[in-house]
Amino acid sequence: MTEAKSAERKKPTITSLFKKVADGQQITWLTCYDFPTAYLQDQAGMDMILVGDSLGMTILGFDGTLPVTMGDMIRHTQAVRRGAPNVFLVGDMPYMSYQPSVETAIRNAGRFMAEASCDAIKLEGGVEMCDRIRGIVDAGIPAIGHLGLTPQSVSALGGFRVQGKGAEQAKRIIDSAKALEKAGAFMILLEMVPDRVCKLITERAENCIIMSLGSGPHAHGQLLIYHDMFGLYPKFKPRMAKVYGNAGEVILNGLKQYVREVTSRVFPQQDNYFTIPDEEFDKLLKMLK
Ligand code: KIV
């Protein structure tokens, strides 16, 4: 898409996202944490961007998301908004930015809206987080729930693994989805939930958009982690991520070539540096005598 076309593109709204669902169209959603990638995602016509607290892993190199702060999130979300003015932008509430109380949740959700021009926030958790969702929505802030594998609770969940494989756990996820919808969430992300459980939740949703991350094709749309799609996360590649290109390999080859060229004096060539006119240089040499 050209820049002009991107500028013509209308930023999705909650109303237009619901219309897509009603028209049987899928919603596209990716994570993003920086200005240049946000620019590319906007140019590609992405509906939504999530500035996920996964930035703790993909950008900051931690083994999990718990060390991520509101300061980290706001800074990166601002950069993404500058790069992607035409995308529906979601700020991901980091660990302990909403768990302590409804008031904490509202204040931090408000920071995403006021300081980073977000269109909505996302937080993890089911029935137990309904009062946070209700408080945030009552404050006029669109809220998205997140069920299934919720990385902030990875220790309690026993690792990064599929959630809802057993009937009882699946029932709890289905009940939580309905409770979040009733509390006012306009969208729910299902992460690593079995496809048929995702289908049941999607079919039962009345006023709520259901999105899938590794939960199969029956949701209203799909989310992927950008770094997994392009070979940019060196520690592991989750099964659910499809690789759309190996940017990591391209960059590594370029870096190796740079090292070779500098050490062998192939770089820089004349195009890569600046010169001073002869007469000015002669003048300079005289001044230095
Ligand atoms: O932080 C994030 O990117 C997320 C996804 C894993 C859904 O919450």
Side-chain angles (χ1 to χ4, degrees), residues 18-280:
F18 271 102
K19 176 151 191 331
K20 267 201 151 183
V21 171
D23 292 346
Q25 294 172 18
Q26 287 278 300
I27 294 169
T28 55
W29 196 10
L30 285 184
T31 64
C32 181
Y33 320 96
D34 62 74
F35 170 82
T37 312
Y39 177 82
L40 294 175
Q41 292 195 14
D42 194 340
Q43 297 296 302
M46 207 63 57
D47 290 316
M48 298 174 61
I49 283 178
L50 171 69
V51 183
D53 65 351
S54 51
L55 73 81
M57 301 169 78
T58 54
I59 301 293
L60 302 177
F62 292 114
D63 285 332
T65 59
L66 304 196
V68 176
T69 65
M70 273 303 291
D72 296 329
M73 292 304 301
I74 294 290
R75 189 72 157 168
H76 283 269
T77 309
Q78 288 169 334
V80 169
R81 176 49 94 204
R82 285 192 283 270
N86 303 309
V87 174
F88 190 95
L89 183 61
V90 182
D92 197 16
M93 300 200 56
Y95 188 54
M96 288 301 143
S97 70
Y98 58 97
Q99 288 93 340
S101 67
V102 174
E103 184 181 333
T104 313
I106 296 170
R107 285 195 188 285
N108 284 316
R111 286 194 63 193
F112 276 108
M113 306 302 281
E115 297 176 37
S117 303
C118 278
D119 299 297
I121 60 83
K122 172 177 89 59
L123 59 81
E124 299 180 8
V127 174
E128 71 288 356
M129 285 299 150
C130 280
D131 60 347
R132 289 8 171 237
I133 292 279
R134 169 57 56 206
I136 289 168
V137 171
D138 284 349
I141 300 169
I144 300 175
H146 179 171
L147 295 170
L149 176 69
T150 45
Q152 290 175 19
S153 315
V154 71
S155 178
L157 296 176
F160 289 93
R161 56 168 61 149
V162 180
Q163 301 294 311
K165 270 187 134 176
E168 276 174 26
Q169 197 186 33
K171 171 77 166 53
R172 277 200 296 278
I173 295 173
I174 291 170
D175 290 345
S176 275
K178 200 33 90 182
L180 287 173
E181 178 178 348
K182 286 204 174 117
F186 79 95
M187 180 177 278
I188 295 171
L189 171 67
L190 300 179
E191 178 171 354
M192 289 177 75
V193 169
D195 58 347
R196 285 185 288 179
V197 178
C198 175
K199 185 166 188 271
L200 285 172
I201 293 172
T202 306
E203 285 165 356
R204 282 154 195 242
E206 288 158 288
N207 197 23
C208 193
I209 299 171
I210 307 300
M211 299 293 291
S212 157
L213 170 56
S215 303
H218 304 297
H220 298 124
Q222 297 291 325
L223 169 69
L224 275 182
I225 308 267
Y226 172 82
H227 283 60
D228 296 336
M229 296 171 68
F230 292 105
L232 290 170
Y233 187 63
K235 291 193 182 172
F236 62 86
K237 184 198 91 62
R239 199 192 100 161
M240 61 200 175
K242 178 171 173 184
V243 177
Y244 283 83
N246 202 333
E249 196 175 285
V250 171
I251 293 169
L252 180 61
N253 287 338
L255 294 171
K256 285 179 178 169
Q257 186 178 346
Y258 174 73
V259 169
R260 276 196 307 274
E261 289 191 358
V262 171
T263 50
S264 62
R265 297 179 185 276
V266 170
F267 180 89
Q269 297 289 313
Q270 252 185 354
D271 279 355
N272 310 120
Y273 58 83
F274 306 92
T275 56
I276 181 172
D278 289 347
E279 70 226 50
E280 290 301 316

